[in-house]
Amino acid sequence: MTDFDEAAGELAATGRRFDARGWVLGTSGNFSTVVAHSPLRIAITRSGVHKGALAPADVIELDGTGAILRGGGGPSAETALHLELIASRAAGAVMHTHSIWATFLSDRGAEAGGIAIEGYEMLKGLAGVRTHEHREWIPVLENDQDMLRLSGVVRRVLLDHPACHAFLLRRHGLYTWGATLQDAVRHVEILEFLLESVGRARYGAARPEEAEPWRS
Ligand SMILES: [Zn+2]
């Protein structure tokens, strides 16, 4: 089995797991992992496939310019963002999900430019975080169908927030990454848990205007 075959199998299994959690409904989301660094080759889910039915054949191989090396069908429209994160964060894998809580909080946090999360034990699941007292800032970017323009915005936001583990696209979804595929998958699980916890705590109350800590 080649490195690509192994990566394709792991991405397909990830799709089924995330679909079962409701994080990638209706063919949404996309995942990639680096197969080789020099020259760069990545495995990425192809466009338009339901992640719950994802098979290794639905994963394609691209070079560092986004050109297809192996596999049929089109790459995700958001390939440019994956390549940007692999380059600017030295990521070994990139995960993009469309959960309800990520979408909901992306809208609520848009005006402030992001969501602050602190005081949760699960923060320790983020790479390099050692204590629940960590304050994680998740930037929110306006959504854009122009992926080249959006890649430029992502690059600037990552420079402005060198410690962040993720960002949200407004009314769209979550992007996170990791040194390995396992790290990136763990970050999705941790962040989805935190976003749902924060969303329920801040907006589950009868009077949600009482609790918007990021505004203070
Ligand atoms: Zn998306």
Side-chain angles (χ1 to χ4, degrees):
M1 182 179 279
T2 67
D3 290 348
F4 173 79
D5 292 333
E6 193 175 340
E10 289 175 347
L11 291 181
T14 300
R16 293 191 293 273
R17 283 182 53 213
F18 285 8
D19 174 60
R21 299 303 306 265
W23 298 338
V24 285
L25 296 176
T27 79
S28 68
N30 38 66
F31 323 129
S32 67
T33 188
V34 172
V35 176
H37 284 279
S38 185
L40 182 64
R41 290 186 291 122
I42 70 168
I44 187 168
T45 51
R46 74 180 166 89
S47 183
V49 177
H50 196 288
K51 301 301 175 295
L54 199 64
D58 298 316
V59 176
I60 59 180
E61 186 172 17
L62 307 180
D63 69 13
T65 70
I68 296 178
L69 300 174
R70 185 186 334 203
S76 162
E78 296 174 52
T79 295
L81 298 189
H82 288 249
L83 291 171
E84 178 59 41
L85 285 163
I86 288 165
S88 61
R89 280 297 204 251
V94 176
M95 299 275 123
H96 173 48
T97 51
H98 282 207
S99 73
I100 288 175
W101 285 108
T103 305
F104 174 76
L105 283 178
S106 72
D107 206 24
R108 293 299 180 121
E111 192 180 324
I115 305 284
I117 303 179
E118 59 186 323
Y120 287 85
E121 180 70 11
M122 282 287 264
L123 284 162
K124 289 160 63 181
L126 300 176
V129 175
R130 300 278 175 263
T131 168
H132 65 283
E133 293 173 345
H134 171 78
R135 182 180 190 271
E136 181 73 16
W137 178 254
I138 304 177
V140 175
L141 289 59
E142 287 296 329
N143 196 23
D144 193 338
Q145 301 302 322
D146 183 328
M147 287 302 143
L148 279 181
R149 187 167 57 201
L150 186 53
S151 295
V153 174
V154 166
R155 192 176 314 144
R156 286 193 295 279
V157 167
L158 293 176
L159 284 171
D160 288 345
H161 303 281
C164 76
H165 294 81
F167 62 84
L168 293 166
L169 295 179
R170 188 178 189 181
R171 298 185 184 177
H172 179 162
L174 172 74
Y175 266 89
T176 187
W177 53 88
T180 65
L181 180 58
Q182 288 72 24
D183 289 332
V185 167
R186 188 183 76 250
H187 282 170
V188 171
E189 293 176 345
I190 292 291
L191 289 160
E192 291 289 357
F193 177 97
L194 290 168
L195 290 168
E196 181 167 352
S197 296
V198 165
R200 287 185 185 279
R202 291 181 189 167
Y203 298 104
R207 288 184 293 169
E209 68 276 12
E210 286 180 350
E212 293 195 359
W214 62 75
R215 295 190 191 281
S216 60

